[in-house]
Amino acid sequence: MTNRVAVIGGDGIGPEVLAEALKVVAAAGVELDTVDYELGAAHYLRTGEVLEDSVLEELRGFDAILLGAVGPPVGDTSVPPGTLERGLLLRLRFELDLYVNLRPFTGVPGSIAAGTDFVVVRENTEGTYAGEGGFLRKGTPHEVATQGSVNTRMGVERCVRFAFELARSRSAHHLTLVHKTNVLTFAGDLWQRTVNEVAPGYPEVAVDYHHVDAACIYLVDQADRYDVVVTDNLFGDILTDLAGAVTGGIGFAASANLNPDRTGPSLFEPVHGAAHDIAGQGIANPLAAIASAGLMLEHLGEADAAARVQAAVRDYLRTAPTTTSTAAIGDAIVERL
Ligand code: IPM
Ligand code: MN
């Protein structure tokens, strides 16, 4: 059966990098039935809508969603901060219950973390992202702003179990919980206890714990300590930007926003943003989008095509210069399939 995929090109370089990703998927021999959706900054400015309820309902019916990038140009204030983040990206994560944000990293030759290979499992529906909090006495000298971190046993446990399953399936069999248990003694305690309670079901997986500040140092000078990292939403957001930087640049970082229970479609997107400064020039790096499409193929059960895309990306990174055009990089991946 042909997979039905919703394609959200978005803003800036989003559509151009997705075009290469779709070219690679086709060349890998996977036929997709795609429907384009116009969402993002341009859509918001044109219609005043971020994500229409009817569009959200349509999206639920797809097998997967492929997203390029959304956001206005840096410094453009026509889209208030948070509008697209909360109204589109986080709304999709929450509504579609995309509770794992899976971000794999491979240190490319010449990068600080060359030769490393690890995956961050970022909890994707809770923590400080949940939106708990508010203002008191806003606009007065006595103003109070609170922003709570929401951690449910169910939400932590399903993410931790996913990470253990992943660690069991990989050759290193290693899992590191990253948190700040020495200061965040409530949330950290729940995470640590959950890991401790799930671990005995995975006797072959070695378990470690690092504080998030220490993990930032290790990522820079000893990233080979990591195989599977499991962490909360905000720590995962920050750590994966750092991980992208040390493994070769955010231009290579792919992500899968997964609904592992498959009660709806999962969403696949490069970690990078819309990069309006280089949009339309044909020079954006499409590798993160291509690798994200590879993750999508894996999720759709196209294991062989996914493996070939992943191998082609790895081979390209090993052998080719990366300072070439968007289309040329897409072609180079297609040649290697
Ligand atoms: C990411 C992004 C998003 C996040 C923003 C755009 C809401 O930074 O996917 O990492 O914070 O999760
Ligand atoms: Mn981020």
Side-chain angles (χ1 to χ4, degrees):
M1 224 180 69
T2 311
N3 289 298
R4 294 190 67 239
V5 175
V7 176
I8 305 171
D11 306 304
I13 62 170
E16 31 187 308
V17 294
L18 275 202
E20 297 307 312
L22 290 169
K23 180 166 100 183
V24 168
V25 169
V30 178
E31 208 187 307
L32 300 178
D33 181 3
T34 62
V35 179
D36 284 308
Y37 284 88
E38 192 218 31
L39 292 168
H43 175 73
Y44 170 73
L45 291 174
R46 195 172 63 75
T47 64
E49 299 265 11
V50 178
L51 175 61
E52 294 85 339
D53 292 341
S54 60
V55 173
L56 175 61
E57 290 318 307
E58 276 178 49
L59 290 175
R60 287 187 200 280
F62 285 87
D63 296 314
I65 302 168
L66 195 56
L67 189 147
V70 298
V74 175
D76 180 327
T77 53
S78 56
V79 183
T83 306
L84 297 172
E85 291 83 351
R86 286 231 158 256
L88 179 57
L89 297 173
L90 299 188
R91 184 151 178 239
L92 288 173
R93 291 175 189 177
F94 296 167
E95 289 276 359
L96 301 175
D97 208 14
L98 309 176
Y99 66 81
V100 165
N101 196 325
L102 188 74
R103 298 185 162 180
F105 297 93
T106 309
V108 310
S111 68
I112 294 173
T116 60
D117 184 338
F118 58 94
V119 187
V120 178
V121 175
R122 167 186 173 188
E123 200 291 319
N124 211 29
T125 56
E126 301 193 337
T128 45
Y129 278 64
E132 196 265 348
F135 295 109
L136 290 174
R137 303 189 284 266
K138 191 175 181 183
T140 75
H142 299 279
E143 174 165 352
V144 178
T146 61
Q147 190 97 47
S149 175
V150 175
N151 299 263
T152 70
R153 171 67 198 220
M154 179 277 291
V156 172
E157 184 169 333
R158 62 186 186 174
C159 177
V160 164
R161 283 194 183 281
F162 181 94
F164 269 102
E165 289 288 334
L166 183 63
R168 176 154 74 184
S169 76
R170 290 168 57 92
S171 54
H173 296 310
H174 189 274
L175 178 143
T176 309
L177 168 64
V178 172
H179 209 282
K180 186 76 182 175
T181 54
N182 52 342
V183 174
L184 305 183
T185 51
F186 310 129
D189 187 73
L190 175 57
W191 276 85
Q192 184 68 72
R193 259 187 299 122
T194 305
V195 166
N196 294 349
E197 286 165 27
V198 172
Y202 300 84
E204 64 277 69
V205 177
V207 182
D208 242 333
Y209 168 79
H210 292 163
H211 291 319
V212 64
D213 46 353
C216 290
I217 299 176
Y218 294 145
L219 271 179
V220 173
D221 66 12
Q222 296 177 47
D224 57 354
R225 294 176 77 127
Y226 296 121
D227 176 31
V228 175
V229 172
V230 65
T231 191
D232 88 349
N233 209 338
L234 182 60
F235 294 147
D237 177 46
I238 299 165
L239 279 182
T240 53
D241 266 21
L242 179 57
V246 298
T247 53
I250 206 75
F252 303 123
S255 80
N257 294 261
L258 298 175
N259 173 332
D261 306 332
R262 294 178 186 265
T263 55
S266 292
L267 182 152
F268 302 83
E269 59 173 340
V271 175
H272 64 68
H276 287 266
D277 52 333
I278 57 164
Q281 301 172 35
I283 57 168
N285 179 354
L287 285 171
I290 293 169
S292 300
L295 293 171
M296 177 182 79
L297 292 178
E298 202 176 316
H299 187 75
L300 291 174
E302 302 284 355
D304 174 63
R308 283 189 296 129
V309 171
Q310 193 184 37
V313 171
R314 282 182 189 224
D315 184 64
Y316 177 82
L317 290 174
R318 201 165 44 236
T319 57
T322 52
T323 49
T324 159
S325 78
T326 309
I329 297 176
D331 292 341
I333 300 300
V334 167
E335 273 164 32
R336 285 170 169 77
L337 290 173

